Amino acid sequence: ETGVTQTPRHLVMGMTNKKSLKCEQHLGHNAMYWYKQSAKKPLELMFVYNFKEQTENNSVPSRFSPECPNSSHLFLHLHTLQPEDSALYLCASSQDIMINEQFFGPGTRLTVL
Amino acid sequence: AQSVTQLGSHVSVSEGALVLLRCNYSSSVPPYLFWYVQYPNQGLQLLLKYTTGATLVKGINGFEAEFKKSETSFHLTKPSAHMSDAAEYFCAVSVQRGNEKLTFGTGTRLTIIP
């Protein structure tokens, strides 16, 4: 595997389910990001991790819970989501947060019923 | 804080014609500027970036962009459109101090007419 991978690519869940999104980067980077991409809206930065430490939480509801066990892996745990949370969730990585060039994964298309 | 405006959410050009996608930014300090492309069902891929130095930046797939400070613009161009250029294009800005997040525009969907 190369670059940034995300699993699953598609996810359908009910509002009472608990699920997790996984991101893995094979680039030796130290910073990782979660973005939300909704139709007709700019990409929304959700969380930033640098060297496994969370450096930014962009006022994200607590039903989204990130986890970064090491610099190569990033998870987004989902619980009691709302239909308006349906979107494409993109993971990205960069050398560190001082280097702004980010590399993106293919995203997970989430549908909340 | 910085911001990005992409003029035109949809642009259609004929195959072989000039592609011009517009991006204007707002930043109180010198910016770093990026263009990303997103093909259907894929993540964003970096096309090109401006950090410092030469204001005309060449990227992948024949695209280029010119940083014009006086116009606060970073428009993306390609002399001759190809069918494979059909995608969504995002302009983004961050600032040179570092440790600043990327701020994205709302995107421009490019359609190529055969």
Side-chain angles (χ1 to χ4, degrees):
Chain A
E1 289 280 11
T2 58
V4 182
T5 58
Q6 290 187 242
T7 54
R9 293 292 309 276
H10 299 272
L11 178 62
V12 179
M13 59 187 290
M15 289 190 284
T16 58
N17 292 158
K18 289 184 181 181
K19 297 287 184 183
S20 295
L21 310 185
K22 179 182 176 182
C23 175
E24 184 174 1
Q25 58 92 4
H26 310 268
L27 300 168
H29 289 167
N30 296 302
M32 297 188 77
Y33 311 76
W34 278 118
Y35 287 88
K36 177 182 179 183
Q37 186 178 29
S38 305
K40 300 181 181 179
K41 293 174 71 175
L43 267 71
E44 300 172 53
L45 179 65
M46 301 174 71
F47 302 103
V48 181
Y49 278 82
N50 195 41
F51 292 93
K52 302 189 299 177
E53 299 297 320
Q54 187 179 120
T55 59
E56 181 151 350
N57 176 337
N58 204 23
S59 302
V60 180
S62 59
R63 58 186 183 269
F64 294 91
S65 174
E67 179 190 0
C68 188
N70 54 62
S71 292
S72 298
H73 293 86
L74 185 64
F75 295 89
L76 188 62
H77 303 300
L78 314 173
H79 178 49
T80 59
L81 295 191
Q82 304 299 311
E84 59 265 29
D85 297 322
S86 299
L88 182 68
Y89 288 85
L90 292 165
C91 174
S93 71
S94 64
Q95 187 62 49
D96 59 51
I97 59 173
M98 300 295 286
I99 305 297
N100 310 88
E101 181 175 345
Q102 297 178 17
F103 294 78
F104 285 78
T108 294
R109 174 70 62 187
L110 173 67
T111 302
V112 182
L113 301 176
Chain B
Q2 62 268 25
S3 66
V4 173
T5 301
Q6 290 184 242
L7 296 174
S9 58
H10 290 85
V11 171
S12 295
V13 301
S14 297
E15 190 175 14
L18 171 71
V19 175
L20 171 60
L21 304 183
R22 299 178 185 275
C23 173
N24 288 89
Y25 69 91
S26 172
S27 175
S28 57
V29 297
Y32 286 166
L33 294 159
F34 305 81
W35 275 101
Y36 283 85
V37 60
Q38 185 178 31
Y39 297 102
N41 301 314
Q42 295 188 29
L44 277 67
Q45 179 184 4
L46 182 68
L47 269 180
L48 49 79
K49 63 180 179 181
Y50 167 80
T51 53
T52 58
T55 56
L56 181 62
V57 180
K58 295 186 184 299
I60 62 172
N61 302 337
F63 284 94
E64 61 183 37
E66 187 171 10
F67 170 58
K68 292 188 176 181
K69 183 179 179 181
S70 60
E71 298 177 9
T72 61
S73 70
F74 191 57
H75 301 331
L76 182 71
T77 60
K78 181 173 179 178
S80 177
H82 191 274
M83 294 301 294
S84 61
D85 295 326
E88 187 143 21
Y89 292 80
F90 294 90
C91 182
V93 64
S94 68
V95 296
Q96 292 185 10
R97 287 179 297 164
N99 197 20
E100 289 283 348
K101 60 186 179 182
L102 279 173
T103 299
F104 286 86
T106 51
T108 297
R109 183 167 298 281
L110 177 64
T111 300
I112 310 299
I113 304 166

